[in-house]
Amino acid sequence: MTETETTRPDLESWVASANEADADFPIQNLPFGVFSRAGSDEAPRVGIAIGDRILDVARARDLGVYAGDADVAARACGEPALNALMALGRRHARALREETSRLLRADGPAKERQARLEAAALVPMAEATLHLPARVGDYTDFYASISHATNVGSMFRPDNPLLPNYKYVPIGYHGRASSIVVSGTPVRRPAGQTRNDPNAPPAFGPSQRLDYELELGAFIGRGNALGEPIPIGEAEEHLFGLCLLNDWSARDIQTWEYQPLGPFLAKNFASTISPWVVTFDALEPFRAPALARAEGDPAPLPHLASAADQARGGYAITLEAWLATARMREAGLPAVRLSRGSFTDMYWTVAQLVAHHASNGCNLRPGDLLGSGTVSGTTKDSRGCLLELTWRGTEPIQLPTGETRTFLQDGDELTLRAWCEGAGRRRIGFGACRGTILPAQPRG
């Protein structure tokens, strides 16, 4: 893909909040989401974030502001999910984004049209309820960070942390789509089987090692037919955008159940995603080379090999995880940053994940979600989960209230954030991905 005029750093919007230096949603971003007016009984519909406002695309279309491919795409935005827009493919979504950019530019439409748009189609985010952006039919979570895989593997296999297949195949598992929730939804502590004493039988009860995972999720746009692989050179045309993803994990349940088939109940009790989907067109200025493989590492197999993907398949996205305990919030203390990582540290690119997923003929569908796996780097402060940060609970984190954490406690609020920035570029953000831990469900 090539960069379009929509990402020009000199663009400004007549929506003043979009021009603030630290705005997540400047006119260069224009992410898609689904919203309804808070307290109303109106049906959810597609919106585009601009500053602290949401452009109601269906209402804007009623004003006759779209034409051609953009109008076809805007018609799909009357739905309560992004799936119809995703299914149209990159061309239509790009046309809608480009025309919306022209409508919202400070040097765009006449003042009269701006006033009509503002009155009829701009909704303050503070007055909106944000919903899941898409109907997720299938959810696959990968393990694409070699630092994360090495750290976790070394806890259990110090002499051989990476299994022989890791550098040849993107490792993943099929998650549970029905338990994906939007940011702000409380997360109840799961119960399950654990076995702390290898000489005793397992016990059933609330997880004591509840963790977060700092990830990005990639939404599939146009799908592929069953039995037809997606070549890596075409993978980007099947992608719609990225969101933040927290793949909550119960580590004690996971340790007991994962052998021999991998994650199950330890991960499918909840996965939280951010409500806004940042398009790959908005991310185009922040493309980067794929992670350089270490000397002696095998080259990707042919179905995962692409010189173009190696040159520009990475994305310079900074991700952070923040913790605020119940006691911290009661005392009015700010959240504490737990970690900061970069998406450029991933061993496998997003295109490789798509190409591999479909390499056996698996049919991907609009709205399917592919998780990156925990985004971790080589330094301790870039480790993207508590399992790594506290090294399996042996190195507690000290908090300003005097509390410590090895894993999450009831009442803890965990927030993920991400953004892109660069010299001569407008910063664009992903918004927040937030969840608060509720106690386990009482059992009679």
Side-chain angles (χ1 to χ4, degrees):
M1 304 306 302
T2 57
E3 186 177 347
T4 70
E5 65 173 5
T6 61
T7 58
R8 277 174 32 204
D10 63 314
L11 293 180
E12 291 198 339
S13 174
W14 51 265
V15 179
S17 58
N19 302 323
E20 296 173 3
D22 60 349
D24 272 346
F25 309 126
I27 196 167
Q28 289 81 1
N29 194 348
L30 302 180
F32 290 90
V34 173
F35 79 101
S36 59
R37 290 180 185 267
S40 75
D41 58 358
E42 64 185 16
R45 57 200 180 277
V46 174
I48 296 175
I50 177 71
D52 62 1
R53 298 288 189 269
I54 301 170
L55 178 72
D56 185 330
V57 179
R59 294 277 178 87
R61 181 176 182 266
D62 289 342
L63 298 176
V65 299
Y66 296 116
D69 285 347
D71 186 66
V72 173
R75 188 184 312 134
C77 292
E79 299 291 322
L82 283 168
N83 298 65
L85 176 62
M86 291 170 166
L88 292 173
R90 292 282 289 270
R91 189 188 81 196
H92 286 82
R94 182 180 299 116
L96 176 58
R97 186 173 172 278
E98 289 176 351
E99 189 58 37
T100 300
S101 174
R102 285 188 280 270
L103 289 170
L104 295 173
R105 289 181 198 177
D107 61 354
K111 294 291 185 182
E112 180 182 343
R113 176 171 277 192
Q114 291 179 19
R116 289 170 60 207
L117 276 169
E118 185 169 20
L122 273 186
V123 178
M125 283 196 190
E127 299 176 10
T129 298
L130 300 178
H131 304 275
L132 279 174
R135 293 185 301 273
V136 181
D138 283 295
Y139 163 48
T140 303
D141 198 28
F142 284 93
Y143 199 43
S145 165
I146 193 169
S147 293
H148 175 64
T150 300
N151 285 337
V152 174
S154 65
M155 296 175 194
F156 300 94
R157 300 178 303 276
D159 298 329
N160 189 27
L162 285 182
L163 294 174
N165 61 354
Y166 187 85
K167 295 181 180 180
Y168 286 96
V169 55
I171 304 300
Y173 72 93
H174 290 291
R176 183 74 181 178
S178 66
S179 54
I180 294 175
V181 297
V182 73
S183 174
T185 305
V187 174
R188 189 168 293 280
R189 181 178 297 275
Q193 283 194 27
T194 60
R195 189 183 187 188
N196 296 324
D197 183 350
N199 298 313
F204 183 88
S207 170
Q208 301 303 308
R209 294 191 170 191
L210 185 58
D211 201 356
Y212 73 91
E213 289 192 339
L214 177 60
E215 303 190 25
L216 288 174
F219 275 106
I220 296 296
R222 180 168 57 87
N224 61 304
L226 182 65
E228 296 184 5
I230 298 175
I232 190 167
E234 300 175 14
E236 291 184 9
E237 283 299 321
H238 292 266
L239 286 162
F240 182 82
L242 294 176
C243 68
L244 280 163
L245 167 64
N246 185 345
D247 189 37
W248 304 95
S249 301
R251 300 301 187 186
D252 44 0
I253 298 172
Q254 183 179 359
T255 300
W256 171 238
E257 75 173 6
Y258 86 101
Q259 305 174 74
L261 295 181
F264 183 38
L265 298 182
K267 286 179 172 283
N268 68 7
F269 58 93
S271 299
T272 303
I273 63 173
S274 54
W276 296 108
V277 183
V278 177
T279 66
F280 283 94
D281 287 326
L283 293 167
E284 190 67 26
F286 305 100
R287 299 193 70 150
L291 182 71
R293 295 196 165 204
E295 185 177 351
D297 279 8
L301 294 181
H303 74 293
L304 299 174
S306 162
D309 187 57
Q310 289 302 297
R312 302 183 71 243
Y315 291 89
I317 303 171
T318 301
L319 301 97
E320 292 183 341
W322 294 77
L323 174 68
T325 69
R327 191 187 302 178
M328 289 169 64
R329 299 196 303 278
E330 290 168 1
L333 296 174
V336 171
R337 190 179 73 195
L338 297 178
S339 62
R340 172 184 285 184
S342 174
F343 202 55
T344 57
D345 285 332
M346 306 306 278
Y347 195 77
W348 298 102
T349 69
V350 179
Q352 286 175 318
L353 301 184
V354 172
H356 182 68
H357 203 316
S359 62
N360 67 343
C362 174
N363 55 321
L364 304 178
R365 298 176 294 183
D368 283 359
L369 183 65
L370 309 185
S372 65
T374 303
V375 179
S376 292
T378 56
T379 61
K380 183 172 182 178
D381 65 353
S382 65
R383 297 173 182 173
C385 63
L386 287 171
L387 180 68
E388 293 177 82
L389 283 168
T390 71
W391 207 253
R392 210 179 176 188
T394 62
E395 301 174 11
I397 293 171
Q398 303 293 322
L399 298 173
T401 51
E403 299 172 277
T404 62
R405 286 293 183 273
T406 53
F407 292 96
L408 296 172
Q409 299 297 316
D410 294 346
D412 286 353
E413 181 183 77
L414 201 289
T415 302
L416 308 183
R417 294 191 177 276
W419 68 90
C420 304
E421 59 188 357
R425 292 291 180 183
R426 275 301 306 268
R427 174 192 182 277
I428 67 171
F430 285 71
C433 180
R434 180 178 293 113
T436 302
I437 307 302
L438 299 181
Q441 183 72 33
R443 296 174 183 272

